[in-house]
Each structure stands twice: as C-alpha cells, then as structure tokens.
Amino acid sequence: MRLWVIRHAAAVRSSLLEDDERPLSDLGREQAGRLARYLRRRAAPDLLWSSPLLRARQTAEPIQAAFPSIPFHLVDALAPGNGTRQIIDELRNGAAGECILIGHEPLTSHLVSLLVSGDDALRVRFAPATVALVETPDPIRIGSALLLECAPPELLATLT
C-alpha cells in the first residue's frame, strides 16, 4: 500500500474563529494547488481521505479535482485529537492500493514515524502543505514501511 500523507495547507490565524472553522489563507490556497499538481504527476490514488476540518477539506478540493473519479471521504480519525492507530485500523479496513490522507500535526508526523520506525523515533517535520509518500506491506504492519519521499512546501514551489 502506498500512502500520501499530507498536512493541510497554511490556514488563516484568527482569534475570532474556532479552530475547526479556520479556512485556508491565500498562501494556503496556492499551496493546495501545488499539492494537486504535484500529486497529479506522481500519484495514482484509489482513495482520498480528509479530516473534516475546513482547512483540510479546502486542501483536498484541488486534489479531488485532479482525481475526479476516485472516492473522497471525510474521516473523523484524521481530525486533531485522534490517534494514529485509529487511522491505521481505518486503512486496514479500507483496502486501497494507494491512498491520499490529509490531516493535521502532530498526527501526520506521528503516523509516518509509527509506520516507518514502529514508534516516534523518526522525526519528520510536517510544515503546512508537506507531503510524504510511505510504502507499507499489505496488510499494514507498524514499523515495516519505507519513507520514499518527503516534500515540504518550499520544495513543491520549485517543482510545480
């Protein structure tokens, strides 16, 4: 199984909004477009899963437009406050060959670390709009995945 793990793009910071209501900033919308263009050239997903929070859904929109025929699901396990093992259980039940996951920190970095190293020993920094590709055996076994690539937004800006 191939997993594209993405932290949502840059969001507006505002004390007037609840955390789950924060939309993408102008920069975040640009980053989401770059993510979609990057994935369009490199990925062949069977599923697109996103946290239900607004900034993650908005990050997913251009990606969904790039892959209009794949199923798109809002997955509560990708929302802040949920655990990586819950996501792994959802993935085991999802039976996809390649999946794009859009979530939040620290969940995204913990998920990649757990899949690759079996714990939090692997320190991967997920700035907003960072994407990592992880390849794991099917069925998923914690600590048995390979980190094939990790692209922060600064790199994506030079590639798209």
Side-chain angles (χ1 to χ4, degrees), residues 53-73:
L53 274 63
L54 179 59
R55 59 192 178 272
R57 291 192 330 259
Q58 288 179 329
T59 301
E61 287 171 358
I63 297 169
Q64 185 180 16
F67 301 101
S69 63
I70 66 167
F72 172 65
H73 301 283

Side-chain angles (χ1 to χ4, degrees), residues 4-70:
W4 295 91
V5 181
I6 300 170
R7 181 178 178 191
H8 65 80
V12 169
R13 294 191 177 274
S14 173
S15 59
L16 303 175
L17 296 171
E18 295 293 327
D19 184 57
D20 61 346
E21 297 172 339
R22 293 189 305 122
L24 292 183
S25 64
D26 290 341
L27 172 61
R29 285 189 291 282
E30 290 175 27
Q31 291 172 333
R34 283 188 200 119
L35 282 164
R37 290 188 298 277
Y38 180 76
L39 291 168
R40 184 73 188 136
R41 289 195 319 265
R42 303 190 48 78
D46 302 302
L47 289 172
L48 171 58
W49 287 0
S50 173
S51 157
L53 274 63
L54 179 59
R55 59 192 178 272
R57 291 192 330 259
Q58 288 179 329
T59 301
E61 287 171 358
I63 297 169
Q64 185 180 16
F67 301 101
S69 63
I70 66 167

Side-chain angles (χ1 to χ4, degrees), residues 3-8 49-53 55-56 75-91 101-116 119-120 122-127 130 132 134:
L3 302 173
W4 295 91
V5 181
I6 300 170
R7 181 178 178 191
H8 65 80
W49 287 0
S50 173
S51 157
L53 274 63
R55 59 192 178 272
V75 178
D76 290 335
L78 289 167
N82 290 311
T84 53
R85 294 190 189 263
Q86 185 179 357
I87 295 167
I88 291 170
D89 289 343
E90 297 254 356
L91 286 167
L101 310 173
I102 301 170
H104 308 267
E105 269 298 282
L107 191 81
T108 50
S109 60
H110 287 180
L111 176 62
V112 169
S113 183
L114 185 64
L115 289 171
V116 172
D119 55 28
D120 274 342
L122 179 67
R123 299 288 180 193
V124 179
R125 181 177 175 267
F126 271 76
T130 296
V134 176

